[in-house]
Amino acid sequence: MLRMIFGEEPRRDEGLLKDAMGAMDQYLIRVRKNMKLDGDPKHRYRQHEIWTVGLKTSLDELEQSLYVAERFADRVTKAYQAEMNEDELDDYYRHVYFYKNGFIRVFSILDKLGNVMNDAMFLETEKMKQRFSFFTVLRNMQKRGTAPELVSRLTAIKEEYHLPLQHLRKRRNTEIHHMNTEMQDDLWQRHRSLNEKIKLENIDEHIEDLRQGYMAVCQILIAVFTILERDRTYTKPPTHKVARRRKRS
């Protein structure tokens, strides 16, 4: 959709994006099949269908935000705002807009996915923490010994992308809970010297962090939905055995 800004053809899914979308599509096929089989009286499968379609939309928005943020970043050649002409300054602010949208999407997707996992696997993470994240769900799975193969894969992805995710989380928290990143950086630099020009943040490093975050999200989605589609026990309520009373002799 957003590639039209640059006069380009619509995106063709490939690589990690194609695999992640495909994993979710396969899960949707099974969910919809289950809906037809039992009528979905509690609307549970319908809920999972809605959540999964929402995740597909969010991943699409993340990929587009990364792409557009990178394209506008390529147009920024000056290291200082004071040296930019009006067109370059506009491109810089467009880059910032889509970059912010991108890193917010990274954690939005992960938290939504955590909710899907919690419900699909009957993890009851809300008993640990009422407002939980994907990472809380992962810790709960480790604690309960649930799906060790999946836990191992998700833990490996988390460790591989630890630094970029840490950077993105810090910027996300600053953007949501504190003064926005650009103003904070500007004020800090002005405090150092009121006579110096304001230097931009390292745009290339920010884009690379967002790219790495996007790759992590794709790999996590592939791992989770491959397991959910493959192992049907995770989407069925756990059975609780009722102890029989001994008859008195």
Side-chain angles (χ1 to χ4, degrees):
M1 180 176 66
L2 294 179
R3 282 167 170 77
M4 65 179 294
I5 295 174
F6 308 103
E8 299 176 4
E9 295 294 322
R11 180 194 69 218
R12 291 186 178 182
D13 293 355
E14 57 185 10
L16 285 175
L17 178 64
K18 182 178 181 179
D19 292 344
M21 291 294 192
M24 288 186 279
D25 283 337
Q26 289 301 309
Y27 181 66
L28 283 171
I29 289 172
R30 188 163 70 78
V31 165
R32 287 163 179 163
K33 182 178 180 181
N34 290 340
M35 288 170 63
K36 291 182 179 179
L37 287 175
D38 69 1
D40 197 23
K42 295 184 179 180
H43 305 291
R44 187 161 180 272
Y45 291 125
R46 174 60 176 160
Q47 182 68 70
H48 277 258
E49 179 187 37
I50 292 170
W51 283 339
T52 306
V53 170
L55 279 169
K56 289 188 63 181
T57 300
S58 294
L59 180 60
D60 174 61
E61 292 169 349
L62 169 56
E63 190 281 334
Q64 292 190 71
S65 295
L66 169 61
Y67 183 83
V68 177
E70 188 171 16
R71 288 296 306 271
F72 280 123
D74 290 341
R75 296 182 179 184
V76 178
T77 61
K78 304 294 190 302
Y80 299 89
Q81 288 190 35
E83 297 176 352
M84 295 181 186
N85 61 28
E86 187 174 342
D87 289 339
E88 186 169 356
L89 195 58
D90 284 344
D91 287 333
Y92 168 68
Y93 285 128
R94 292 181 183 115
H95 153 74
V96 170
Y97 175 86
F98 287 105
Y99 167 68
K100 287 181 178 180
N101 190 58
F103 66 63
I104 289 172
R105 289 288 175 205
V106 166
F107 295 100
S108 172
I109 290 172
L110 290 178
D111 289 345
K112 290 174 183 177
L113 178 60
N115 193 54
V116 173
M117 295 163 62
N118 185 62
D119 190 79
M121 299 183 180
F122 301 91
L123 298 170
E124 299 182 321
T125 308
E126 62 276 6
K127 292 183 178 179
M128 288 178 56
K129 189 176 181 181
Q130 188 173 6
R131 294 176 62 86
F132 56 85
S133 68
F134 164 80
F135 299 101
T136 312
V137 173
L138 181 56
R139 288 195 298 272
N140 189 25
M141 292 175 67
Q142 292 170 326
K143 182 179 179 181
R144 295 167 62 108
T146 303
E149 177 188 351
L150 177 58
V151 169
S152 177
R153 177 61 183 144
L154 294 179
T155 301
I157 297 171
K158 177 186 172 185
E159 291 176 354
E160 180 181 357
Y161 294 96
H162 171 71
L163 280 179
L165 288 175
Q166 185 180 59
H167 296 160
L168 294 172
R169 184 188 290 110
K170 182 178 179 182
R171 291 172 199 140
R172 188 278 307 265
N173 290 344
T174 299
E175 178 66 25
I176 293 176
H177 301 297
H178 304 288
M179 187 183 303
N180 77 61
T181 308
E182 287 68 42
M183 289 180 65
Q184 189 177 52
D185 186 59
D186 289 354
L187 290 174
W188 178 79
Q189 293 198 55
R190 286 184 185 278
H191 178 71
R192 291 181 64 191
S193 175
L194 294 175
N195 297 320
E196 292 181 4
K197 292 183 292 185
I198 299 173
K199 189 173 183 178
L200 298 181
E201 71 281 4
N202 192 319
I203 293 177
D204 290 340
E205 286 185 5
H206 284 192
I207 285 292
E208 184 58 28
D209 281 341
L210 183 56
R211 185 182 298 110
Q212 293 290 315
Y214 161 73
M215 292 171 64
V217 164
C218 286
Q219 292 184 44
I220 289 170
L221 287 167
I222 293 167
V224 170
F225 280 101
T226 297
I227 287 289
L228 289 181
E229 195 280 329
R230 187 181 73 193
D231 195 332
R232 304 188 178 193
T233 60
Y234 292 138
T235 51
K236 293 181 180 180
T239 56
H240 300 284
K241 295 181 180 179
V242 179
R244 295 180 178 178
R245 294 182 179 180
R246 290 185 178 179
K247 294 182 179 180
R248 293 183 181 181
S249 56

